[in-house]
Amino acid sequence: MFNLKELYIAKDLNDAYDTLVSSKNNCVIGGGMWLKMSDRAINKGIDLSNLNLNYIKEEEDKFIIGSMTSLRDIENSKELNLEFRGYFKKFLKSIVGTQFRNTATIGGSVYSKFGFSDISTGLLGLDTYVELFRGGIVSLEEFNKMKLNKDILVNIIIYKNENLKAEYESLRLSKTDLPLINVAVSYDEKSKKYNIVVGARPNLSKRAVKASEIISENYNNLDKGLDLISSELDFGKNMRGSKEYREESSKILVKRCILKIMEDSYENKGMDK
Ligand SMILES: Cc1cc2nc3c(=O)[nH]c(=O)nc-3n(C[C@H](O)[C@H](O)[C@H](O)COP(=O)(O)OP(=O)(O)OC[C@H]3O[C@@H](n4cnc5c(N)ncnc54)[C@H](O)[C@@H]3O)c2cc1C
């Protein structure tokens, strides 16, 4: 459990940021679920609860999700799940349990850049951006590569795309455990392009760009594309699985997602398989 000298209730984002950078031992508290697993000595824990950052706003072309929104609110959002055909439920439902997801926040989840993250993988399957108080708006892909200075994640922005179909799969040794591999695949029916993302390798989610390209060119390249995933992304071992097991599992999960997307397209268009 962490050790907190003072719980500081921020008055506004400027106040939160100034407090954050005023000492290296000050830190933002989101849901506190990850922080409480650590034995960090924190000087001021900056609470953002009074800043009204708990919302999911729908605009014509995008959704804006405040950083203090719980994973459970996102999982249950009618608007998000309607727009993305239940996708949010698919990648959030396996994270620990309902009570946990009621407390953990999207801001703490994305800012932490966990290698195992279902959330990062799921969001990279969509056109997702991160809004930082000082750093401005950057794509999630860019954010994941950035070396972080102290900053506050304010919003997650997700652009709508009515032509997009997205699927998510993860593999766990047991229910509620961290994933040993997770994948997201989205397909834009207009541009006919696949976007394949693999996380928990055990490193942070990344797009398999070459594999996505070759499968988008021609579905007959599927096996060749799946083989490319392990050459273009780095896989490794940890207590949950070996490098080789992760490589093979990622291929199976990606193929499963692609088949689901295709099946869905056939059903919607009334075509024979
Ligand atoms: C036991 C356990 C099991 C888990 N299993 C999974 C899993 O299977 N899959 C998965 O994807 N995730 C999993 N997680 C991670 C979880 O989903 C959350 O991502 C995690 O708890 C962080 O969210 P939080 O709100 O609790 O953040 P906190 O613990 O409050 O904060 C985490 C970090 O982010 C910083 N932070 C918080 N909010 C902000 C902000 N707005 N701006 C800048 N920095 C901020 C904090 O300073 C801290 O460094 C697990 C976590 C735990 C504890």
Side-chain angles (χ1 to χ4, degrees), residues 146-182:
M146 275 162 59
K147 191 176 172 295
L148 277 187
N149 297 317
K150 279 193 165 194
D151 209 335
I152 297 173
L153 194 155
V154 183
N155 286 314
I156 297 292
I157 302 166
I158 303 167
Y159 280 88
K160 295 181 180 177
N161 178 352
E162 58 180 16
N163 302 304
L164 201 76
K165 290 197 165 144
E167 286 293 340
Y168 185 84
E169 291 281 336
S170 67
L171 194 60
R172 287 169 153 79
L173 294 177
S174 63
K175 224 175 160 186
T176 77
D177 191 12
L178 298 176
L180 83 83
I181 193 82
N182 56 40

Side-chain angles (χ1 to χ4, degrees), residues 11 44 66 75 82 94 97 102 140 162 172 182 234 238:
K11 296 178 204 60
K44 282 186 184 174
E75 176 188 356
L82 190 68
S94 302
N102 268 322
L140 176 59
E162 58 180 16
R172 287 169 153 79
N182 56 40
D234 49 325
N238 67 3

Side-chain angles (χ1 to χ4, degrees), residues 28-94:
V28 174
I29 301 183
M33 302 304 274
W34 187 260
L35 274 174
K36 75 177 182 187
M37 305 275 291
S38 75
D39 54 5
R40 269 174 82 172
I42 300 171
N43 184 23
K44 282 186 184 174
I46 304 160
D47 185 345
L48 307 179
S49 311
N50 279 359
L51 305 190
N52 299 320
L53 290 170
N54 179 357
Y55 49 75
I56 300 171
K57 291 182 193 160
E58 180 170 9
E59 295 186 355
E60 204 182 326
D61 60 338
K62 58 183 173 296
F63 287 92
I64 303 177
I65 307 177
S67 65
M68 288 297 280
T69 309
S70 75
L71 301 183
R72 183 71 175 160
D73 282 348
I74 296 171
E75 176 188 356
N76 280 340
S77 160
K78 280 203 185 80
E79 293 76 16
L80 281 172
N81 283 302
L82 190 68
E83 181 68 29
F84 295 100
R85 308 166 209 227
Y87 179 65
F88 283 81
K89 278 190 193 298
K90 288 179 190 165
F91 74 83
L92 291 169
K93 69 175 185 203
S94 302

